[in-house]
Amino acid sequence: MAFLQHLLVLELISLFIIINQPQYSLSAAIQKALILPLKTQTLPHGGSPPKPSNKLAFRHNVTLTVSLTLGSPPQTVTMVLDTGSELSWLHCKKNPIFNSIFNPLLSSSYSPIPCSSPVCRTRTQTLPIRPSCDLNKLCHTIISYADATSIEGNLAFETFNIGNSARPGTIFGCMDSGFSSNSEEDSKTTGLMGLNRGSLSFVNQMGFPKFSYCISGRDSSGVLLFGESSFSWLQPLNYTPLVQISQPLPYFDRVAYSIQLEGIKVSGKILSLPKSVFVPDHTGAGQTMVDSGTQFTFLLGPVYTALKNEFMQQMKGIWSPLGDPNFVFQGAMDLCYRVPLTRPSLPQLPRVSLMFRGAEMVVSGERLMYRVPGMVKGGDSVYCFTFGNSDLLGIEAFVIGHHHQQNLWMEFDLVKSRVGLAEVRCDLASQRLGLAL
């Protein structure tokens, strides 16, 4: 999954892989944009799948999820949207903790891939752990993450239904065993949709040249769109080019959506940092990745410290610091404040601007602070700054999480190798696109 997908609900360290770009020869049917809503939900057992539609729905809590159907007859699954992972996978074996699985025994179109297949030998070269041959001579794959989460199973072909189109022969992982660091959250979904730039990613297998999503900061709704996103109500996007390297480096993920962070402002004041702290070093460490599978944003130590100190300075007189040096939220967020439970709304807070090459992401208001669930100090709730220290997690990168992408139209253009963004009310975008949530 994404770079940090199992930190707080599937926030996993991203995988370092090499890209094989596909050919984008799109049929007229594929070129038409497909719109899907996303949602986080607990799926009921049993029941019949919904009728196919080219409009689905999107909700998010700490992960972004999309529901779709696959197999013959169709089975409904819910997948975490992850721009930091390549291989899409589903839980395929019954387990008491899972509310939803895909049962391959019930699908006539399911076809496991033998390890003698060229697909197993060549298409999997981009995966971080090369598949092996199991006792049944099937292509066996293992995915491991930095939080000790791992999952394994067999690669297989299946028919995925996207909108009104059936896509037979889609490659995915049908997983039957593993260990999760957050089984409670894993139980809410069936698997993961890998959307990075690797050859086996979902967007590349579907043949779309680009995709977009928009996450509401108001009602947890949103939209996922495959294809062009030309709408009269959407202002022109600001684009930042992807950072690409020709030679593989040990700490550079070449199939991530890696962009160049050039500086950070707090209420217009640019942090006094050398440009070199934002540039990957000779090992590839220090890249900046846009990751929908990570909730918050994580910065390398020197940059985080500079941001934290300036934000604290500008917060003087607004809120009282928590005053507990031993409390670190999610192991990486150590700037927290006490806020009276009687306070009806947030005050005016300093704005943080992430300055990219050609584009800027402004984080303000509720996106800056996150209320720690269930934590009360005296008569105060506890809010933590939504930027964390990558060094405390052992991460050699800057990671832009989906919490800071709220109310932005985010476009990922695989053909032109760029990421575009523009401010928009995402709850209204969903309404304009006619999504029934």
Side-chain angles (χ1 to χ4, degrees):
M1 295 181 190
F3 198 80
L4 283 172
Q5 203 161 327
H6 260 274
L7 257 182
L8 176 66
V9 178
L10 296 182
E11 291 183 338
L12 302 173
I13 286 292
S14 116
L15 311 170
F16 302 108
I17 40 189
I18 301 172
I19 183 170
N20 290 325
Q21 289 284 5
Q23 297 297 315
Y24 293 99
S25 56
L26 302 181
S27 67
I30 292 180
Q31 288 178 357
K32 183 179 178 181
L34 295 176
I35 304 168
L36 300 85
L38 310 171
K39 49 184 159 184
T40 298
Q41 62 180 4
T42 299
L43 296 178
H45 291 288
S48 58
K51 294 180 179 179
S53 168
N54 59 1
K55 294 180 179 180
L56 306 176
F58 163 147
R59 287 195 181 278
H60 67 91
N61 182 5
V62 287
T63 54
L64 312 177
T65 61
V66 62
S67 293
L68 47 80
T69 64
L70 75 158
S72 306
Q75 299 177 44
T76 301
V77 298
T78 300
M79 305 178 77
V80 174
L81 187 73
D82 188 7
T83 58
S85 291
E86 177 174 5
L87 182 67
S88 299
W89 55 263
L90 295 167
H91 294 297
C92 290
K93 185 177 181 180
K94 288 185 178 181
N95 186 302
I97 70 168
F98 298 146
N99 292 322
S100 171
I101 68 164
F102 170 71
N103 190 340
L105 299 178
L106 300 181
S107 174
S108 61
S109 52
Y110 175 82
S111 177
I113 296 174
C115 50
S116 59
S117 166
V119 170
C120 188
R121 297 197 307 267
T122 60
R123 290 290 300 277
T124 59
Q125 291 179 0
T126 58
L127 298 180
I129 301 176
R130 293 298 299 274
S132 60
C133 218
D134 69 8
L135 295 177
N136 296 316
K137 296 186 177 181
L138 297 178
C139 192
H140 187 79
T141 186
I142 301 174
I143 301 176
S144 298
Y145 302 101
D147 67 341
T149 294
S150 65
I151 191 163
E152 58 184 287
N154 294 323
L155 293 185
F157 295 114
E158 184 54 284
T159 298
F160 278 68
N161 302 305
I162 304 297
N164 290 320
S165 302
R167 308 296 171 90
T170 301
I171 301 168
F172 78 110
C174 195
M175 305 308 206
D176 55 19
S177 64
F179 168 79
S180 172
S181 64
N182 199 323
S183 58
E184 179 181 355
E185 289 298 335
D186 280 354
S187 69
K188 298 178 182 179
T189 60
T190 322
L192 178 142
M193 179 185 288
L195 286 173
N196 73 8
R197 300 186 303 131
S199 64
L200 286 181
S201 78
F202 194 82
V203 64
N204 274 336
Q205 288 197 65
M206 294 299 106
F208 289 103
K210 66 175 63 173
F211 68 95
S212 308
Y213 57 70
C214 195
I215 309 163
S216 172
R218 290 173 175 259
D219 58 7
S220 297
S221 66
V223 59
L224 168 65
L225 182 147
F226 290 102
E228 293 293 337
S229 54
S230 299
F231 305 110
S232 60
W233 44 263
L234 181 62
Q235 62 180 302
L237 304 184
N238 292 316
Y239 287 97
T240 183
L242 294 179
V243 175
Q244 302 184 80
I245 61 173
S246 58
Q247 297 296 324
L249 296 174
Y251 295 107
F252 193 95
D253 184 349
R254 299 196 344 174
V255 288
Y257 295 100
S258 182
I259 58 181
Q260 186 58 61
L261 180 63
E262 296 186 326
I264 299 177
K265 294 187 294 187
V266 183
S267 294
K269 181 178 179 180
I270 299 177
L271 300 181
S272 181
L273 290 166
K275 293 286 187 181
S276 59
V277 301
F278 299 106
V279 179
D281 65 18
H282 67 284
T283 69
Q287 72 182 122
T288 300
M289 295 182 281
V290 183
D291 186 0
S292 68
T294 298
Q295 184 178 11
F296 299 117
T297 293
F298 297 89
L299 309 173
L300 289 178
V303 177
Y304 171 75
T305 299
L307 172 60
K308 172 186 171 181
N309 290 341
E310 181 59 35
F311 190 82
M312 287 176 63
Q313 181 66 30
Q314 297 193 26
M315 282 291 288
K316 286 183 176 179
I318 300 177
W319 279 349
S320 300
L322 177 61
D324 182 357
N326 296 318
F327 180 75
V328 181
F329 183 52
Q330 291 190 28
M333 301 157 74
D334 60 0
L335 178 55
C336 301
Y337 292 88
R338 299 175 66 136
V339 181
L341 291 168
T342 55
R343 182 180 293 276
S345 60
L346 295 182
Q348 187 74 27
L349 301 175
R351 294 155 60 96
V352 175
S353 300
L354 302 177
M355 303 157 61
F356 303 109
R357 185 176 299 158
E360 189 170 304
M361 181 181 290
V362 179
V363 182
S364 61
E366 294 182 350
R367 290 187 294 161
L368 280 167
M369 307 302 296
Y370 184 81
R371 183 174 179 177
V372 179
M375 187 171 181
V376 177
K377 289 281 189 178
D380 299 332
S381 54
V382 176
Y383 281 76
C384 292
F385 191 40
T386 53
F387 289 84
N389 188 341
S390 294
D391 293 3
L392 296 179
L393 301 173
I395 301 169
E396 298 288 342
F398 300 92
V399 184
I400 311 301
H402 66 70
H403 186 78
H404 292 161
Q405 299 172 47
Q406 291 178 5
N407 286 324
L408 291 174
W409 189 273
M410 299 292 301
E411 179 185 277
F412 299 82
D413 190 331
L414 284 76
V415 173
K416 295 184 178 180
S417 299
R418 62 185 185 174
V419 173
L421 60 152
E423 292 188 1
V424 66
R425 277 276 303 276
C426 292
D427 56 330
L428 298 182
S430 298
Q431 295 175 20
R432 289 179 175 126
L433 293 170
L435 298 178
L437 297 173

